[in-house]
Amino acid sequence: MIEFNDSLRAALAANLEALQRRTLALDGRRHAAVAVVVVDSDPLRHADAMLGLAGGAALLLCQRAADMSQHAGQWALPGGRVEAGETPLEAALRELDEELGIRLGPRSVIGWLDDYPTRSGYVITPVVLWGGSDPALRPADNEVLAVYRVSLQTLVDAEPRFIAIPESDRPVLQLPLDNHLIHAPTGAVLYQLRQVGLLGRTGERVDHLDQPVFAWS
């Protein structure tokens, strides 16, 4: 089990700082930001809301509401469009507050991951945040069906799959967590967190990984 402590935060920060982060020009695409929130997870209180081994450090993963106009029911990290005048960090913090009721500030930043380009016309900038010990969650009913704590140990133990599809010459990522398959873009962000942040493989890139066809629009 990966313990939630200051040493974990320091190791994550060092590994993410060593990543020569790749930023992408928008080139007509819209800009979005997502929050990868690392928290403590109490196995007694949250066993029914865990993906993988309960206890220790975890990250927050959402399932989108079933009646949303786009990507309904899909797995997602808290986040959304970067509004005019906002920085990606400001957008990620705002969306985290709006979607999960968690208010964090700039001091919570652990580090950043590579930009990821989506088939639906976005460039997503992921920021990794320290969410503290067992933060209270207030999911927005109109956006979030459920929130799960994904054990970081489970993320490390996951065996990523790279599959070919006839519609693309790029590999499609499938990240298995319990009985679920997490695809890009969310899966790409989590995969790079695994490779870079947790395993220290600071040369790992994800912008070449494709999404399944159902996520293209």
Side-chain angles (χ1 to χ4, degrees), residues 31-35 77-82 87-89 91-92 95 123-127:
H31 199 182
V34 296
L77 295 161
R81 185 181 297 192
V82 178
T87 65
L89 176 58
E95 292 283 351
V123 171
I124 297 176
T125 297
V127 56

Side-chain angles (χ1 to χ4, degrees), residues 161-201:
R161 306 171 186 174
F162 303 93
I163 66 171
I165 60 173
E167 296 86 354
S168 175
D169 58 359
R170 297 158 52 194
V172 170
L173 170 68
Q174 294 180 335
L175 191 61
L177 297 176
D178 276 4
N179 296 319
H180 307 282
L181 292 177
I182 314 299
H183 298 89
T186 299
V189 175
L190 297 185
Y191 174 68
Q192 194 175 42
L193 176 70
R194 175 189 189 268
Q195 298 297 99
V196 174
L198 298 174
L199 299 179
R201 300 170 184 171

